[in-house]
Amino acid sequence: EPEVTQTPSHQVTQMGQEVILRCVPISNHLYFYWYRQILGQKVEFLVSFYNNEISEKSEIFDDQFSVERPDGSNFTLKIRSTKLEDSAMYFCASSEAGPSYEQYFGPGTRLTVT
Amino acid sequence: LAKTTQPISMDSYEGQEVNITCSHNNIATNDYITWYQQFPSQGPRFIIQGYKTKVTNEVASLFIPADRKSSTLSLPRVSLSDTAVYYCLVGDDYGGSQGNLIFGKGTKLSVKP
């Protein structure tokens, strides 16, 4: 069964540093998403991406965040200057058509900001 | 997006049927009801989706009454591996609304031997 992959599985960075989290969505999917989950809390929507542009973003997705699809397979989330409160599990997801269609989630990247 | 309310936690034993009910009083005409499952340290996984009446797949059944103000996820004969958090979500992406997934706190199901 096709799956979403994410790298790295765990990223440790110092406050103020830039990080890039990488995702490879399922190949025939058209919609891509990033979510985050702070330890012990609920999954929070960050951003959705379709047709090479952001479709929707949440209040969490401020100017420190950006997304990119640099080639035909990768989908990245960049945090320009990390803060302690960015420590969380970041999940990438993709769907064939639209957010209410089944979204396939990756295994996540655990980001630890020290 | 319609707000959902579900129990914070539930306990069950192996082999039992588990029913998790979700309330969504403000569900809109175009909204679908979707359930996701999440194991610790993993991403959510789609279980089932429905609009009305009953939907069944190899994993679960979803019961939706005529007024659609609630829904019940039914897991037949649970095993220890069904211990997870179960999320009920309501939304659509028709008519220009993006309907992105908004997760609540979910129901933490603990299955005991």
Side-chain angles (χ1 to χ4, degrees):
Chain A
E1 182 178 324
E3 58 183 20
V4 175
T5 59
Q6 290 185 244
T7 54
S9 58
H10 191 189
Q11 174 91 47
V12 181
T13 189
Q14 289 188 329
M15 196 167 50
Q17 295 296 305
E18 173 184 285
V19 294
I20 297 176
L21 310 183
R22 291 181 168 80
C23 168
V24 179
I26 293 173
S27 61
N28 64 331
H29 285 185
L30 301 177
Y31 288 77
F32 315 115
Y33 316 86
W34 284 101
Y35 295 83
R36 81 171 186 190
Q37 187 173 32
I38 296 170
L39 187 63
Q41 298 188 25
K42 62 184 181 181
V43 177
E44 299 175 291
F45 167 75
L46 293 179
V47 66
S48 58
F49 192 87
Y50 169 70
N51 200 26
N52 283 319
E53 61 182 24
I54 291 174
S55 301
E56 191 169 351
K57 58 184 180 180
S58 70
E59 292 178 352
I60 302 169
F61 195 88
D62 60 21
D63 292 343
Q64 292 300 311
F65 291 88
S66 62
V67 289
E68 191 179 28
R69 187 156 165 81
D71 52 44
S73 59
N74 290 283
F75 179 52
T76 62
L77 174 69
K78 181 193 290 187
I79 308 175
R80 290 189 181 82
S81 179
T82 51
K83 303 188 283 285
L84 292 176
E85 53 265 38
D86 292 327
S87 294
M89 194 76 147
Y90 287 81
F91 295 107
C92 173
S94 68
S95 65
E96 195 172 347
S100 70
Y101 284 72
E102 179 176 352
Q103 291 191 25
Y104 291 77
F105 283 75
T109 292
R110 179 167 297 285
L111 176 65
T112 302
V113 182
T114 61
Chain B
L1 293 171
K3 182 180 176 182
T4 61
T5 303
Q6 47 183 130
I8 294 174
S9 64
M10 292 183 70
D11 291 334
S12 182
Y13 290 94
E14 282 191 291
Q16 289 188 331
E17 178 184 80
V18 171
N19 296 308
I20 306 174
T21 297
C22 177
S23 298
H24 26 80
N25 291 318
N26 296 322
I27 191 168
T29 303
N30 290 337
D31 285 344
Y32 279 74
I33 300 154
T34 310
W35 286 79
Y36 279 78
Q37 172 194 56
Q38 186 181 26
F39 297 113
S41 299
Q42 293 187 30
R45 185 176 73 106
F46 174 92
I47 300 175
I48 198 166
Q49 183 181 74
Y51 183 79
K52 61 180 180 180
T53 62
K54 177 184 174 182
V55 180
T56 297
N57 61 23
E58 64 278 6
V59 176
S61 294
L62 179 60
F63 298 91
I64 305 168
D67 66 6
R68 305 202 325 122
K69 292 184 183 301
S70 67
S71 59
T72 299
L73 174 73
S74 181
L75 305 172
R77 295 182 300 280
V78 295
S79 63
L80 296 176
S81 62
D82 292 316
T83 294
V85 179
Y86 292 82
Y87 300 97
C88 165
L89 300 100
V90 173
D92 79 281
D93 67 345
Y94 300 99
S97 168
Q98 290 301 311
N100 290 298
L101 296 184
I102 305 297
F103 287 83
K105 294 186 177 180
T107 297
K108 185 174 183 179
L109 173 65
S110 298
V111 180
K112 303 174 183 179

